[in-house]
Amino acid sequence: MRYNNALIIIVINVTPTVIFSAGIWKIPHLSTFLPEYQLSKKSAGAQAVIGWGLRPSTHKARAHAKQHGLPFVALEDGFLRSLGLGVAGYPPFSIVHDDVGIYYDTTRPSRLENLILVNHINANMLAEAERARALIVAEQLSKYNHAPVCAEHLIKLDQAAVLVLDQTFGDMAIRYGGADADTFENMLTAAVSENPHAQIYVKTHPDVLSGKKKGYLKTERLSAPNVTILAEDINPISLLQQVDKVYCVTSHMGFEALLCGKPVVTFGLPWYAGWGVTDDRHASVGELLTTNRRAPRSLMQLFAAAYLQYSRYINPNTGERGTVFDVVDYLANARRLNDKLRGHLYCVGMSLWKRAVMKPFFNVPSCQLHFVSSLKKLAATKLPPQARLLVWSRGKDELIEFAQQHSLPLLRMEDGFIRSVGLGSNLVPPLSLVIDDLGIYFNAQHTSRLEQILQNRLFTEHDQLQAQHLQVALTEAEITKYNVGAGALKLPETKQRVLLVPGQVEDDASIRFGSPVINKNLDLLKAVRQANPEAYILYKPHPDVVSGNRVGNIAPEDSARYADQVVGNCDILSCLKCADEVHTMTSLTGFEALLRGKTVHCYGLPFYAGWGLTSDKLPIERRTRQITLWELIAGTLIYYPEYIHPEARRMINAQTAIAILKQQKQAAQHDGLQRSWLSKQLGKAKQLYLSVK
């Protein structure tokens, strides 16, 4: 960068560093997490050694560091790690980096401990910390985020609830947190005796009761009438929100309880003990104070040090260095999707190519997706409890009938609103899908998940900021649903109001179920001309109709009778730029017009009508809320669709999808309306390859 006519070069010194662990090398974006290190598998010339925490597997690395007088740097998963478990293949979105010790080893200092003691946390960082804490609790985020929320029946509402946290036998945090089996027994005894009128809930790992792993609390101690065992896999925050008090040894869930505003009693020496925010029962807490390893600190000071300073993050959407807010946003969306898709989903009659396109949108821990070749085979399948049927669009009549006969709930999917560079009818795969558990957005005859979001969701300032960023990104990058067409619109000089009438595919479901009065392109043109005899009318046929793939063509003599100009291959955005108003049945162009500040008249019932943002010819009584444009954007582009990276085939957000489409659009060598047979087959082959890669 240049400053005062001088060239300033910023150089980041990197330290040659050896990593012996094969597991660490498998971490995606490792060099992004560790930019200050030049990483190598070879020890020659190394000036530092990196290993994973205090695992026995680090003995070689630690011995090498000691022998050669090199610093040892410990890595561990961060406190907001991923959607699913590491053993299931889910990579970390955060790690902690410690060149002093490691946070769960309180036998010696750690970088986290030093950060808390030094306390270089200003008012701005504390404000950021509080914002992050509030989001984490509101979105119920933890280290792993695949578990379902705590069912209401698990915790009795008419009695005080005390939560006791067991841990799996051999947990490193127990050994290095000054605890053993007796510590857990003492904790349970104290919880029972100190809370005689409460129900004691013991959270243990499901593998403990199944015999796969051992816990510390003995089974016979858990059989008392006022003790309830919770062995289910439960979202930690949702459980903590329902209890009144928490007893723990060294579990990080104890700190999460503090974030939820619960009093916490510690019996071991977790990293958050001894700072004045917990009731600490371990004998060595006093020693930590007298040796100046502890000092009074607030909860937000601890949180800021651990989550903002100690932890490192990548942006899961881009793989670049990120912040806690990038990870919170991503995990919140991923958790919502995981909950929506939880269970067994059956999809009938999908081609291999469509299966390949679909799979990454359903790649979440709790979703088991089954493809069945025919309805006959589905009928012969013994379906598990709570199975659901997954259908495209509204669903074929025979599938809907089958679902009704067998009381199978339906999930519907459709292309998203920011889709691709090229048409779906030309077999261009989508970057986004909507997956709806109530209906589908284009069917105004029934409510949809999108309608429920727009009608009921309490949008936040954070939502507003994101939505406004999306609006700017979409308009500046000139992104639409398909991003097809070429050339600018040539409009003659006129003082008339310019009305854009976008044509649609006439047998499209959005017309059949969302435009009961006017459902033909020609009829729409007639109605617009009749109501606006003095206007200059642009008619833009639908790209799928222009390509010859779908129906909806208007004879040239008819379009000339009602429209002043017919625009074929021209980019829809160039038409919007010239238009004062958009008149449509249910076209997505109406939504894209709203994004660009245009007046929109709706002759049907699209998803964006009925909220006070459009001039509507038909009523829709279910939509009673008046919303702002940014709330419409947030609901439509943030909370309703899912987005997938076309190459990496992992979940991304809308902002990243826009950036990808911008790059693809710039690289495209054609208008996207026509695609050869060979190109279509190659596209199919690529998707099939990626699905098994």
Side-chain angles (χ1 to χ4, degrees):
M1 62 182 175
R2 290 190 179 274
Y3 183 74
N4 288 342
N5 298 319
L7 182 64
I8 299 175
I9 300 175
I10 300 175
V11 179
I12 299 175
N13 292 321
V14 295
T15 302
T17 302
V18 61
I19 298 177
F20 296 108
S21 167
I24 294 177
W25 281 109
K26 292 178 182 178
I27 297 174
H29 314 295
L30 184 62
S31 59
T32 304
F33 278 123
L34 304 168
E36 68 268 58
Y37 299 100
Q38 181 184 331
L39 305 177
S40 175
K41 296 179 182 179
K42 298 179 180 179
S43 60
Q47 296 176 20
V49 182
I50 288 178
W52 196 262
L54 290 169
R55 283 187 178 177
S57 58
T58 65
H59 289 338
K60 176 184 177 182
R62 290 180 180 275
H64 182 88
K66 185 177 181 180
Q67 181 183 352
H68 295 86
L70 302 176
F72 181 86
V73 179
L75 305 180
E76 272 283 358
D77 286 327
F79 307 119
L80 293 170
R81 185 194 186 278
S82 53
L83 176 62
L85 301 174
V87 293
Y90 287 87
F93 301 143
S94 70
I95 64 169
V96 300
H97 159 280
D98 202 316
D99 54 355
V100 178
I102 194 66
Y103 71 92
Y104 54 78
D105 180 7
T106 50
T107 65
R108 55 179 174 154
S110 68
R111 174 157 291 280
L112 176 56
E113 180 179 293
N114 291 346
L115 286 168
I116 298 170
L117 285 169
V118 172
N119 194 29
H120 287 160
I121 299 171
N122 58 31
N124 287 336
M125 185 176 288
L126 283 176
E128 289 290 276
E130 175 53 38
R131 184 162 75 91
R133 184 210 65 81
L135 285 170
I136 288 168
V137 173
E139 298 292 352
Q140 300 180 320
L141 301 180
S142 185
K143 185 175 183 177
Y144 307 108
N145 297 280
H146 61 283
V149 297
C150 182
E152 292 183 1
H153 69 274
L154 285 180
I155 306 296
K156 297 177 181 178
L157 300 178
D158 59 349
Q159 192 176 8
V162 173
L163 182 65
V164 176
L165 299 174
D166 196 10
Q167 292 173 250
T168 53
F169 193 84
D171 188 338
M172 288 285 188
I174 304 300
R175 175 183 172 187
Y176 293 100
D180 55 22
D182 290 340
T183 312
F184 284 84
E185 292 298 315
N186 294 335
M187 172 180 62
L188 181 58
T189 299
V192 172
S193 63
E194 294 170 8
N195 303 277
H197 304 296
Q199 186 69 20
I200 310 298
Y201 296 89
V202 176
K203 181 68 186 78
T204 189
H205 196 282
D207 288 345
V208 172
L209 287 187
S210 68
K212 294 179 182 178
K213 291 184 180 180
K214 290 176 62 180
Y216 282 94
L217 291 172
K218 296 176 181 177
T219 306
E220 58 268 23
R221 290 291 313 277
L222 305 177
S223 58
N226 66 330
V227 175
T228 300
I229 301 173
L230 300 177
E232 298 88 344
D233 203 7
I234 304 172
N235 175 282
I237 303 296
S238 71
L239 174 58
L240 291 166
Q241 289 172 326
Q242 294 193 42
V243 302
D244 300 294
K245 190 176 185 180
V246 175
Y247 287 71
C248 68
V249 176
T250 62
S251 171
H252 186 72
M253 202 168 159
F255 186 71
E256 292 175 328
L258 293 172
L259 300 182
C260 295
K262 309 298 179 179
V264 175
V265 185
T266 67
F267 282 76
L269 291 173
W271 68 269
Y272 51 87
W275 305 101
V277 297
T278 49
D279 179 357
D280 302 313
R281 307 290 177 85
H282 197 284
S284 297
V285 169
E287 184 181 336
L288 292 176
L289 289 165
T290 58
T291 56
N292 296 320
R293 289 185 55 195
R294 291 293 186 272
R297 294 288 185 266
S298 70
L299 175 61
M300 280 301 96
Q301 287 171 323
L302 297 185
F303 178 83
Y307 283 70
L308 303 189
Q309 294 181 317
Y310 189 55
S311 299
R312 299 183 173 194
Y313 302 91
I314 61 162
N315 185 328
N317 300 288
T318 63
E320 300 171 354
R321 193 73 179 263
T323 69
V324 65
F325 298 104
D326 294 325
V327 174
V328 165
D329 283 345
Y330 188 91
L331 288 178
N333 290 331
R335 198 179 76 76
R336 279 192 289 272
L337 178 63
N338 188 60
D339 287 344
K340 182 164 65 177
L341 303 182
R342 189 179 301 278
H344 292 266
L345 307 183
Y346 290 83
C347 189
V348 179
M350 285 288 173
S351 66
L352 287 176
W353 177 76
K354 283 191 175 180
R355 293 182 189 187
V357 169
M358 284 172 53
K359 279 182 180 179
F361 289 95
F362 296 84
N363 186 22
V364 291
S366 302
C367 177
Q368 290 154 319
L369 181 61
H370 309 272
F371 292 105
V372 184
S373 58
S374 67
L375 188 57
K376 184 178 179 181
K377 286 192 175 181
L378 180 65
T381 302
K382 185 178 180 180
L383 300 178
Q386 299 179 332
R388 290 182 288 175
L389 197 59
L390 177 65
V391 300
W392 185 263
S393 190
R394 182 178 173 274
K396 295 180 179 178
D397 291 342
E398 59 267 28
L399 291 176
I400 295 174
E401 185 179 347
F402 181 89
Q404 290 171 343
Q405 289 174 349
H406 295 81
S407 301
L408 281 176
L410 280 170
L411 272 180
R412 295 176 173 86
M413 55 184 168
E414 244 303 349
D415 286 333
F417 310 111
I418 305 172
R419 186 192 187 279
S420 55
V421 177
L423 304 175
S425 60
N426 281 334
L427 303 185
V428 178
L431 269 73
S432 67
L433 285 182
V434 299
I435 304 166
D436 200 312
D437 57 338
L438 295 178
I440 195 69
Y441 71 91
F442 57 75
N443 185 359
Q445 296 177 9
H446 303 281
T447 193
S448 68
R449 178 57 60 187
L450 175 57
E451 184 176 276
Q452 288 298 303
I453 291 169
L454 297 175
Q455 179 72 24
N456 299 314
R457 185 174 183 87
L458 297 175
F459 294 102
T460 65
E461 288 185 20
H462 187 66
D463 294 329
Q464 182 176 6
L465 198 62
Q466 284 190 299
Q468 290 170 341
H469 282 321
L470 284 180
Q471 184 181 8
V472 171
L474 281 168
T475 53
E476 288 186 349
E478 298 190 335
I479 296 296
T480 62
K481 182 175 182 177
Y482 296 111
N483 302 287
V484 296
L489 173 65
K490 295 181 180 178
L491 192 71
E493 288 287 335
T494 180
K495 294 183 178 179
Q496 299 166 279
R497 280 183 306 127
V498 178
L499 313 185
L500 173 63
V501 180
Q504 294 183 244
V505 177
E506 291 182 348
D507 62 354
D508 190 76
S510 73
I511 299 293
R512 289 185 287 125
F513 299 102
S515 196
V517 179
I518 294 177
N519 48 41
K520 301 288 184 184
N521 290 322
L522 182 57
D523 292 339
L524 176 63
L525 261 181
K526 288 179 179 177
V528 176
R529 173 56 73 195
Q530 183 177 358
N532 303 275
E534 305 301 321
Y536 189 94
I537 296 178
L538 292 173
Y539 176 64
K540 175 76 168 69
H542 192 278
D544 279 338
V545 175
V546 175
S547 70
N549 295 328
R550 304 288 294 276
V551 299
N553 189 48
I554 298 178
E557 59 271 21
D558 289 328
S559 57
R561 188 175 297 118
Y562 301 105
D564 296 281
Q565 189 173 348
V566 178
V567 184
N569 287 356
C570 188
D571 189 336
I572 186 66
L573 290 183
S574 69
C575 299
L576 281 174
K577 288 177 182 177
C578 297
D580 298 301
E581 301 174 9
V582 170
H583 291 246
T584 181
M585 291 179 282
T586 62
S587 173
L588 186 63
T589 300
F591 175 66
E592 292 167 341
L594 290 174
L595 295 180
R596 292 159 177 87
K598 306 293 181 177
T599 300
V600 178
H601 295 259
C602 298
Y603 294 72
L605 299 167
F607 68 87
Y608 50 85
W611 307 109
L613 299 170
T614 54
S615 176
D616 303 320
K617 311 302 181 186
L618 302 174
I620 183 162
E621 285 79 9
R622 294 191 309 271
R623 300 174 188 175
T624 60
R625 190 181 187 188
Q626 300 289 290
I627 63 175
T628 62
L629 178 58
W630 71 260
E631 288 173 319
L632 176 66
I633 296 169
T636 305
L637 299 182
I638 297 174
Y639 289 106
Y640 189 50
E642 316 302 335
Y643 302 90
I644 292 294
H645 194 289
E647 302 296 332
R649 296 171 71 81
R650 52 174 168 75
M651 194 180 102
I652 55 176
N653 61 5
Q655 196 84 26
T656 308
I658 292 169
I660 292 169
L661 286 177
K662 182 180 178 181
Q663 292 174 348
Q664 291 181 345
K665 191 175 179 181
Q666 291 170 344
Q669 300 297 311
H670 53 81
D671 63 13
L673 293 176
Q674 306 292 336
R675 197 181 186 199
S676 69
W677 179 88
L678 179 60
S679 178
K680 291 179 182 180
Q681 304 314 306
L682 289 173
K684 279 186 178 182
K686 179 181 179 181
Q687 291 302 311
L688 290 169
Y689 168 74
L690 289 173
S691 71
V692 298
K693 185 178 176 182

